[in-house]
Amino acid sequence: MTEALLEINGIHKRFGGLHALNDIALTINKGEIYGLIGPNGAGKTTLFNVLTGLYQPDEGKFTFNGRDLFRQKPYVVVESGIARTFQNIRLFANMSALENVMVGRHVRSKASVFGAILRPPSARKEEANIRIRAQELLDYVGIPQHAEELACNLSYGDQRRLEIARALATDPKLLALDEPAAGMNPKETEELKALMQKIRNDGVTILLIEHDVKLIMGLCDRIAVLDYGKKIAEGLPEAVKSNPRVIEAYLGVAPE
Amino acid sequence: MNLIDIFSRQRKTSLISLGLMLMILPWIISHGFESGNSYLRAFDMALLFIMLSLGLNIVVGYAGMLDFGYIAFYAVGAYTYALLNSPHLQALLPAWMMYPPFIVSIILAAGIACVFGIMLGGPTLKLRGDYLAIVTLGFGQIVRIFLTNLDRPFNLTNGPQGINNIQRVHLFGLDLGRPVQILGITFEPVHLYYYLILFFCALIVVVSLRLQDSRIGRAWVAIREDEIAANAMGLNTRNIKLLAFAMGASFGGISGALFASLQGFVSPESFIMMESVMVLCMVVLGGMGNIPGVILGAIIVSITPEILRDVINPLQMALAGRKVVDPETLRMLIFGLVMIVIMLVRPEGLWPSSRRRAELKPQTKGIALQEKDDMQDAERNHD
Amino acid sequence: MDIFLQQIINGLVVGGIYALIALGYTMVYGILQLINFAHGEIVMIGAMVTISCINFLVGHNVNLSGPVLLTVSIAMAIPVTMLLGYLIERVAYRPLRKAPRMAPLITAIGLSIVLQQAATMIWGKNYVPFPAILPTDVLEIGGASITTLQVAIIILTAVILTGLFLLIERTKLGRAMRATAQSPDVARLMGVNVNTIISMTFMIGSALGAIAGVLVAANYDQAHAYMGFMVGLKAFTAAVLGGIGNLGGAVLGGILLGIIESIGSGYLGDLTGGFLGSQYKDIFAFLVLILVLIFRPSGLMGERVAERA
């Protein structure tokens, strides 16, 4: 039943003297929502960047879906099926929402320069499909009405959704979300939660960094806790919640 | 306003009338003015500059890379054409290589310019912003210096004198260097060249439009907007940027070849850095990333000095009764002032693309910026 | 060996001048992230005004020794270029501070053209000879010869550079300049009048440019309305070579570029078996630049500068 999708082992990442990731190992199973929490500066985003190919780890093992992705370029990582969003939204600000999602289809389409210039039927068909798929995804995340608007003119919550749609456009097996609920009001957070569950039910595994403990606890199947670049706990939400090391990391003191 | 619309059915009539107007334009010009033929030449040059600025627009406007040496590709195209179509290398090259069919010359010119583009882009694309600008500037200088000095140890470029006696274009059995009678109408060479260049110009406009509306064009813009995000979306940013350089360079090569064939001679003089700067001005003045805007910019920047040439002297005579200053100097002075004023009044260009008006606004993003830098550094270290 | 020494000396002279001009580029860039394309023209105007002043004084039989005459004339040219630098910033750059990044670049190019043409109107299209008022003694050092003018250029450059560093590092103005370069917004919050600082930066850079322009003209015995372009280009290259935005880098880059060029033109023929002669010295300079940037993308002394595009 549980089949490993992503496996990392002994991952290290150093920035000069800073040991940002120290011997991290974790396994994400197919179909689960896996939470990653930790205090600020614990290395969550660094781990995220390693997993999505933006950072190259110094040492360790990184396999995804049976493929070795250690020190691979981001485009190889995306092509293998990992897509991400950013903590501080990074949309293509001056492109329309639809175009943003269409860029996400890049890795799943192949028209060359000649295809683009000569426009043979195959290229036309591909382009039409890109457009259709992008519109579908906007529907899927709930912002079809904003297709022609510039990304920078969307509301904050809609930008978050657009980023998810753009990531989904790459047909990921693992969707990595970096604090998607940051800055959202409770209603938006609730909607986001529903969206994530919908995505999971449609067969996409989710890796989630989040500060909102309530959201994490109510959503995730398993959780890992990072502190000072080390994994200090992993397991079911309830177990992690009562783990003394986790409480210490968050509150700064050991519980009585 | 989007040119794509023009190609839709509703706009077909306006497209046809635009085409007709461009077809009869040379007749209006050469018969309407005293110095009509020299104006028509200026129009030929303007068309070449439209092609050049559309090429540079891909690099600067879409992919967001500042290129100060773009004219080098124009030079490469021009010299490629010149060497193949003049007696200069006849003794060196085997006979079958000399005087190839026109279209072969053009393709070769585009291809070789493209190779130069890749040669320049390959090692330098990692550089950012102004560093890339200065490296491309250096590249432009290097090409020009080689053109000026490669008359020794063996005479490839004929040095500062340049290459003369470039054969006129022969196409479909027509010699474009001589007046041709068709249906009782005499087409002067300057007309024939106008149509030839107009054809290629239209071709390049279409290619530009199609690229803009393809996954490649979107990838270029995405990289300009946010390279890290583009990377994370699975774009092979290095190759896509290289492609922008290569495409821009081939556009430059084609217009260079046409320039050589129109001019009949080429010399390093035509490829100084000021020309690169002028093409950049066309792109920015018109409206970066917007094809109609870039075309407008190219027309204004290339035609204005020509018009000033004819306006200034009568004006001076009328106002002061004598020639106060050298007209050549005055027209360049006015030209410079016009550039400044346009930019002050419309910093985003005369005709910016409606959807990308906010482009390249300086933003103080603080943390986000730092993060971007960290990532790019991390990547660079890995490379 | 004496040829080598000779090339080093020549390189040092030219390099010192490049350094002076490069400082103008780098100071502006450090604060505004803007290539002040018109800086080369400031250099040219500085040279031209000085020459005109000398000719005027000599023409009116002012009886002064050469160096004094030159000093007086430079002292008259400096305010002119400072005013020009100030005006350039006010007219062409300040209104565009919030505009797309390319816009001020184009106004800068426009200004360059305007200044060149204005200079052509005033001083003509031909070379303007530098008046022969300076002593032309030649000193011999270890088989290499150096003119007193060259010695003076080296010393003067060193003095000015020291003065500038003291200004930047030790004075209140310098501190404000450094703060503005770090972060204009924070500097403003701390009570620095950023606009004044930017104006001051332009004026200081222009003053250095005027001096450099005179030195260029004196060194080559002539000036020209279009001389600013190439000199400016080289100096900007030097600034990037050293790491743009970094004052020490500009000096290092300038001197290195001068020496590289000089040695390059001296030995390029031998190095390449006669294939490339001294006419390729510019290529040498640019090749070095490209190589440096490929291996050290922020220049020799550059810190990582955030691209604020």
Side-chain angles (χ1 to χ4, degrees):
Chain A
M1 160 85 196
T2 52
E3 192 185 339
L5 178 65
L6 176 141
E7 263 187 294
I8 59 170
N9 229 320
I11 289 284
H12 287 267
K13 177 73 190 173
R14 297 177 189 84
F15 295 106
L18 178 71
H19 206 148
L21 292 179
N22 189 351
D23 195 23
I24 301 287
L26 51 88
T27 306
I28 299 177
N29 296 323
K30 260 185 195 152
E32 71 181 345
I33 299 185
Y34 190 96
L36 193 59
I37 62 172
N40 284 327
K44 296 178 306 264
T45 297
T46 306
L47 179 59
F48 226 68
N49 288 337
V50 165
L51 291 180
T52 50
L54 286 184
Y55 285 169
Q56 312 291 344
D58 297 321
E59 50 189 288
K61 267 200 160 103
F62 177 9
T63 41
F64 178 77
N65 206 21
R67 189 167 172 187
D68 181 17
L69 289 182
F70 182 69
R71 281 178 170 254
Q72 280 293 1
K73 295 274 182 193
Y75 54 88
V76 179
V77 173
V78 177
E79 209 268 323
S80 319
I82 301 180
R84 68 169 292 172
T85 65
F86 290 87
Q87 184 178 345
N88 21 39
I89 306 171
R90 306 190 77 129
L91 288 164
F92 306 120
N94 294 300
M95 297 173 90
S96 73
L98 189 70
E99 284 175 310
N100 266 276
V101 184
M102 289 170 84
V103 171
R105 290 304 290 167
H106 189 92
V107 75
R108 301 293 169 214
S109 50
K110 45 182 168 303
S112 66
V113 190
F114 299 106
I117 296 171
L118 302 174
R119 294 215 177 146
S122 62
R124 277 170 202 271
K125 190 152 169 266
E126 186 182 86
E127 181 71 15
N129 286 338
I130 291 175
R131 191 170 285 274
I132 291 168
R133 177 81 183 124
Q135 186 62 55
E136 279 172 10
L137 283 164
L138 288 179
D139 295 345
Y140 186 83
V141 301
I143 49 168
Q145 71 279 21
H146 296 309
E148 295 306 323
E149 264 172 71
L150 289 190
C152 56
N153 294 339
L154 295 186
S155 73
Y156 186 79
D158 287 347
Q159 290 194 353
R160 287 269 179 222
R161 287 164 183 274
L162 178 56
E163 245 200 334
I164 293 175
R166 186 180 68 178
L168 286 174
T170 65
D171 292 346
K173 295 185 178 65
L174 175 71
L175 177 64
L177 304 171
D178 195 347
E179 295 196 27
M184 283 188 169
N185 61 36
K187 181 170 165 283
E188 286 173 321
T189 308
E190 220 27 63
E191 288 168 1
L192 180 76
K193 191 173 161 189
L195 175 62
M196 283 192 277
Q197 274 161 341
K198 182 163 76 162
I199 294 170
R200 188 254 297 268
N201 291 340
D202 288 335
V204 179
T205 310
I206 293 180
L207 167 64
L208 179 66
I209 292 185
E210 194 45 73
H211 268 311
D212 187 334
V213 176
K214 204 171 128 234
L215 177 70
I216 283 267
M217 293 301 164
L219 191 63
C220 295
D221 302 312
R222 287 193 303 142
I223 293 174
V225 187
L226 291 190
D227 191 30
Y228 291 112
K230 284 186 177 164
K231 187 174 83 175
I232 57 171
E234 185 181 18
L236 299 173
E238 284 312 314
V240 167
K241 209 173 172 180
S242 50
N243 184 320
R245 291 191 66 190
V246 175
I247 297 171
E248 184 188 346
Y250 268 94
L251 300 178
V253 285
E256 297 299 312
Chain B
M1 157 111 190
N2 190 342
L3 252 200
I4 292 292
D5 299 345
I6 292 179
F7 288 96
S8 69
R9 211 155 276 141
Q10 297 95 319
R11 300 287 185 89
K12 216 166 201 172
T13 40
S14 56
L15 185 67
I16 290 173
S17 46
L18 177 71
L20 273 179
M21 209 191 79
L22 286 171
M23 295 302 273
I24 57 169
L25 187 71
W27 303 96
I28 299 172
I29 292 174
S30 55
H31 294 287
F33 297 92
E34 210 175 314
S35 51
N37 272 355
S38 76
Y39 263 120
L40 192 51
R41 265 193 69 80
F43 257 86
D44 289 349
M45 289 306 291
L47 289 173
L48 290 177
F49 276 117
I50 290 174
M51 296 160 77
L52 277 176
S53 32
L54 286 175
L56 186 61
N57 182 46
I58 289 179
V59 180
V60 181
Y62 294 160
M65 300 180 286
L66 194 48
D67 184 349
F68 268 127
Y70 184 66
I71 212 72
F73 305 121
Y74 186 56
V76 168
Y79 269 84
T80 305
Y81 187 91
L83 290 174
L84 291 174
N85 292 286
S86 75
H88 180 65
L89 284 188
Q90 209 152 23
L92 259 95
L93 292 179
W96 61 266
M97 280 181 74
M98 296 303 298
Y99 303 107
F102 176 66
I103 199 66
V104 174
S105 297
I106 292 280
I107 290 171
L108 275 174
I112 293 178
C114 178
V115 170
F116 270 79
I118 292 169
M119 267 166 43
L120 167 65
T124 57
L125 283 183
K126 265 189 270 174
L127 299 175
R128 279 183 280 155
D130 299 308
Y131 289 95
L132 182 65
I134 197 76
V135 166
T136 51
L137 192 155
F139 173 79
Q141 295 291 315
I142 289 174
V143 167
R144 188 184 51 83
I145 293 169
F146 266 106
L147 292 178
T148 317
N149 293 302
L150 268 187
D151 46 352
R152 283 173 305 136
F154 79 100
N155 191 351
L156 180 66
T157 65
N158 205 25
Q161 288 84 36
I163 298 170
N164 289 306
N165 294 322
I166 299 170
Q167 198 191 35
R168 289 309 194 126
V169 177
H170 287 74
L171 209 56
F172 310 122
L174 284 178
D175 178 354
L176 265 55
R178 295 212 181 105
V180 178
Q181 293 259 355
I182 298 172
L183 304 171
I185 307 168
T186 311
F187 288 78
E188 298 286 333
V190 67
H191 289 151
L192 295 169
Y193 271 98
Y194 170 83
Y195 291 120
L196 179 75
I197 297 173
L198 184 65
F199 169 76
F200 277 96
C201 191
L203 198 69
I204 283 202
V205 171
V206 171
V207 167
S208 284
L209 284 169
R210 291 192 157 191
L211 280 174
Q212 174 185 275
D213 259 37
S214 70
R215 77 192 262 272
I216 312 267
R218 278 193 302 273
W220 283 332
V221 178
I223 289 174
R224 180 195 67 192
E225 290 289 319
D226 188 334
E227 193 166 342
I228 292 294
N231 228 322
M233 285 303 110
L235 272 59
N236 184 341
T237 48
R238 207 196 52 186
N239 284 4
I240 293 169
K241 279 158 80 175
L242 203 54
L243 187 63
F245 249 82
M247 281 313 290
S250 0
F251 284 19
I254 293 174
S255 35
L258 290 170
F259 170 73
S261 74
L262 169 75
Q263 199 82 348
F265 70 92
V266 291
S267 72
E269 277 282 286
S270 312
F271 311 109
I272 53 176
M273 190 213 152
M274 203 55 204
E275 297 286 320
S276 289
V277 170
M278 282 299 155
V279 180
L280 188 67
C281 288
M282 295 170 186
V283 175
V284 179
L285 275 180
M288 271 197 301
N290 190 32
I291 292 174
V294 170
I295 294 174
L296 178 71
I299 293 173
I300 290 178
V301 174
S302 56
I303 299 283
T304 311
E306 299 303 317
I307 294 175
L308 286 175
R309 194 197 299 275
D310 279 9
V311 172
I312 279 176
N313 264 344
L315 202 67
Q316 281 200 66
M317 296 303 268
L319 288 179
R322 63 191 172 88
K323 233 169 96 173
V324 187
V325 280
D326 176 29
E328 188 68 15
T329 307
L330 191 57
R331 89 186 163 100
M332 287 311 288
L333 184 86
I334 293 174
F335 176 67
L337 285 173
V338 168
M339 272 168 61
I340 297 172
V341 170
I342 292 182
M343 273 295 111
L344 288 178
V345 179
R346 291 189 69 97
E348 71 282 11
L350 288 170
W351 191 349
S353 108
S354 53
R355 18 179 238 142
R356 288 178 200 138
R357 203 156 284 173
E359 129 103 354
L360 287 179
K361 283 247 158 83
Q363 289 157 342
T364 29
K365 278 200 273 183
I367 298 168
L369 192 73
Q370 190 58 45
E371 184 187 66
K372 177 174 165 183
D373 268 63
D374 288 345
M375 288 191 191
Q376 281 181 344
D377 277 5
E379 244 175 284
R380 202 161 38 224
N381 292 339
H382 181 67
D383 291 338
Chain C
M1 199 55 208
D2 49 344
I3 298 179
F4 185 72
L5 189 63
Q6 185 73 56
Q7 302 292 4
I8 294 277
I9 290 173
N10 292 346
L12 214 54
V13 172
V14 180
I17 301 175
Y18 286 162
L20 283 179
I21 308 171
L23 281 169
Y25 281 106
T26 231
M27 285 196 302
V28 167
Y29 193 93
I31 289 185
L32 290 178
Q33 282 77 48
L34 165 86
I35 306 174
N36 177 12
F37 242 89
H39 191 58
E41 270 54 53
I42 299 247
V43 172
M44 175 270 293
I45 300 267
M48 289 298 198
V49 172
T50 307
I51 293 175
S52 291
C53 281
I54 297 174
N55 286 338
F56 177 84
L57 293 174
V58 171
H60 286 72
N61 295 318
V62 176
N63 209 353
L64 292 172
S65 72
V68 178
L69 205 54
L70 183 63
T71 314
V72 171
S73 303
I74 294 181
M76 291 166 124
I78 285 177
V80 174
T81 57
M82 284 172 82
L83 180 66
L84 203 57
Y86 173 77
L87 287 177
I88 286 175
E89 195 271 327
R90 272 317 286 267
V91 173
Y93 298 148
R94 190 172 296 182
L96 293 174
R97 229 176 262 163
K98 294 261 177 295
R101 201 169 66 103
M102 290 290 203
L105 195 69
I106 301 297
T107 50
I109 294 166
L111 267 174
S112 255
I113 296 177
V114 169
L115 289 174
Q116 274 172 10
Q117 301 308 325
T120 314
M121 283 182 189
I122 302 171
W123 290 286
K125 283 187 172 173
N126 298 322
Y127 282 99
V128 178
F130 193 82
I133 53 165
L134 297 175
T136 50
D137 308 319
V138 177
L139 310 174
E140 294 281 332
I141 304 172
S145 55
I146 178 167
T147 64
T148 44
L149 173 66
Q150 287 178 316
V151 176
I153 290 178
I154 293 176
I155 294 173
L156 187 61
T157 310
V159 170
I160 292 171
L161 291 180
T162 318
L164 182 72
F165 278 94
L166 287 178
L167 173 79
I168 301 280
E169 295 295 332
R170 294 284 160 80
T171 66
K172 204 174 155 210
L173 171 66
R175 192 162 58 230
M177 287 172 72
R178 281 180 288 140
T180 310
Q182 284 289 322
S183 163
D185 292 333
V186 178
R188 187 176 288 117
L189 289 177
M190 295 297 125
V192 175
N193 186 339
V194 172
N195 279 339
T196 313
I197 294 301
I198 291 174
S199 293
M200 291 300 288
T201 308
F202 270 84
M203 285 158 74
I204 295 172
S206 303
L208 295 179
I211 298 171
V214 178
L215 298 183
V216 173
N219 195 35
Y220 294 110
D221 281 331
Q222 61 191 19
H224 189 267
Y226 290 96
M227 71 188 260
F229 177 73
M230 203 56 192
V231 175
L233 185 56
K234 291 285 178 58
F236 184 67
T237 306
V240 174
L241 187 65
I244 192 149
N246 181 318
L247 298 186
V251 176
L252 178 74
I255 291 172
L256 262 183
L257 190 71
I259 292 176
I260 288 167
E261 255 185 32
S262 164
I263 291 182
S265 60
Y267 289 95
L268 212 52
D270 297 341
L271 281 175
T272 57
F275 178 68
L276 300 174
S278 62
Q279 68 271 34
Y280 286 100
K281 73 170 189 184
D282 290 346
I283 284 193
F284 213 65
F286 287 120
L287 276 184
V288 169
L289 174 82
I290 291 176
L291 288 178
V292 168
L293 285 186
I294 287 171
F295 292 106
R296 272 199 68 95
S298 322
L300 291 174
M301 292 177 65
E303 294 150 43
R304 210 185 53 214
V305 205
E307 187 179 32
R308 297 187 204 173

